[in-house]
Amino acid sequence: MEDISALKALLSTPKHIVVTVHHRPDGDALGSGLGLAALLRKQQHQVQVIAPSAYPDFLGWLPGAPDVIVFEKKNQQKASDFLKKADVIFCVDFPTLCRLNGMEAMVRETTATKVVIDHHPNEGEFAALAFRDTTSAATAELLYEIFEGLGVQDLIDKDIAECLYVGIMTDTGSFKHATTTAKTHRIAARLIDHGADITKATHWVCRNNSLNKLAFLGFALSHRFVVLKEYNTAYFFITAEDYKNYALETGDTEGLVDYALSVRNIAFAATIKEKKDCISLSLRSSGEVPVNLWAKEHFGGGGHKNAAGGISQLTLAETVAKFEDLVKINKKTLTN
Ligand code: 5GP
Ligand code: MN
């Protein structure tokens, strides 16, 4: 937090600010981005949140979500106008500008002061001010500490508290993942003190499945689930046809990979999805299996030790074969 006084100075006069989050924003990216934007507005800054692509439906209730500019949805010009005007661009919940996908060049080219707030491993500095902490369970947890560092925690109202709480709740899998610490719980408790309605958050995030999503889950468990027992590995593969048959939307496959990891003795789990222009992979592990390193080395991606993602330009069948090869090569790590 050595940059906190520099951040304080930067924000000491009203600025034009853009808050960006990563491609396919999750609860932590969107919650942190919206919470930050709302707090900055209270300090008289002009703030716009821009996401490279759509957020899942179950996050649409977050205060401020309807005002987010979704770049991919024919909003390139609008986004460009805000970015050109910006004095400051916050990069929230992602370690490298690549994670902005189609928006990357536009952000890279601006002269705005870039500030990164993130809990992923650093992949090379691009920001003038960096707040990175891989020990934070969520970017929202780190953001709370930054608010404290700036001495603005009293500006956290119910809406901001709920945004940050959802960030922590989703990135920790409701406080279950190994990243969850006593500090995570302490900060969550402070957010409840600030007014976060946790029943509401649970309702929207955990009890908001469409019947279609559950029907798809049943199908995937029955027909798209492979267990490699001797490698302590299990994975789902989802075809383009499945996306069509079940009219799957953003977020409908989220959480699927956790069913694979929930199986007894499974240490490595994946969902391998056939998207329009590539194959996308979600990787999860328990214990010491470093899926972020595997994602980086084999699938041009990254993430955390126990949760990472990447892509493949091979066919689905070829990607599955490559994945199984990766499993076989790493048998020792997986079965220790
Ligand atoms: P998910 O599987 O939920 O999409 O992503 C899990 C984790 O991996 C998240 O922390 C996310 O930021 C990271 N991640 C997912 N896809 C990519 C990717 O293509 N590149 C990088 N660097 N990280 C990714
Ligand atoms: Mn996160």
Side-chain angles (χ1 to χ4, degrees), residues 70-86:
V70 178
F71 180 81
E72 242 177 41
K73 288 193 172 169
K74 298 198 171 79
N75 283 320
Q76 283 85 347
Q77 191 54 50
K78 226 167 155 185
S80 168
D81 292 345
F82 276 104
L83 287 166
K84 277 186 188 145
K85 227 171 32 190

Side-chain angles (χ1 to χ4, degrees), residues 76 99 113-114 181 235 254 259 266 276 280 294 309:
Q76 283 85 347
R99 297 282 287 139
T113 304
K114 294 179 188 82
T181 63
Y235 69 90
E254 201 159 308
Y259 285 95
I266 294 300
K276 275 193 203 95
S280 123
W294 295 357

Side-chain angles (χ1 to χ4, degrees), residues 225-244:
F225 188 44
V226 179
V227 179
L228 305 171
K229 205 168 166 214
E230 62 171 305
Y231 299 98
N232 296 340
T233 294
Y235 69 90
F236 290 95
F237 63 96
I238 311 300
T239 70
E241 196 77 12
D242 298 339
Y243 273 93
K244 217 163 69 192

Side-chain angles (χ1 to χ4, degrees), residues 22 24 26 93 95-96 99 120 123 273 281-284 299-304 307-311:
H22 59 76
R24 293 198 302 117
D26 54 13
D93 197 38
T96 140
R99 297 282 287 139
H120 295 91
E123 295 183 28
K273 297 166 275 191
L281 295 97
S282 277
L283 307 179
R284 298 290 186 275
F299 300 108
H304 310 279
I311 57 164

Side-chain angles (χ1 to χ4, degrees), residues 35 46 58 93 96 125 131 140 143 160 169 173 203 234 243 249 252 264-265 275 280 295 305:
Q46 300 273 331
F58 73 88
D93 197 38
T96 140
E125 200 49 79
F131 299 89
L143 185 57
I160 297 171
M169 178 186 169
H203 170 80
Y243 273 93
E249 292 171 5
D252 280 350
R264 183 178 301 148
N265 291 331
K275 295 279 180 68
S280 123
K305 185 171 81 178

Side-chain angles (χ1 to χ4, degrees), residues 26-69:
D26 54 13
D28 190 28
L30 196 67
S32 300
L34 290 172
L36 173 63
L39 191 124
L40 291 170
R41 281 189 201 108
K42 287 191 161 191
Q43 295 183 300
Q44 315 312 322
H45 301 290
Q46 300 273 331
V47 192
Q48 178 63 50
V49 181
I50 308 181
S53 55
Y55 51 81
D57 261 1
F58 73 88
L59 296 173
W61 64 280
L62 283 175
D67 302 321
V68 171
I69 292 179

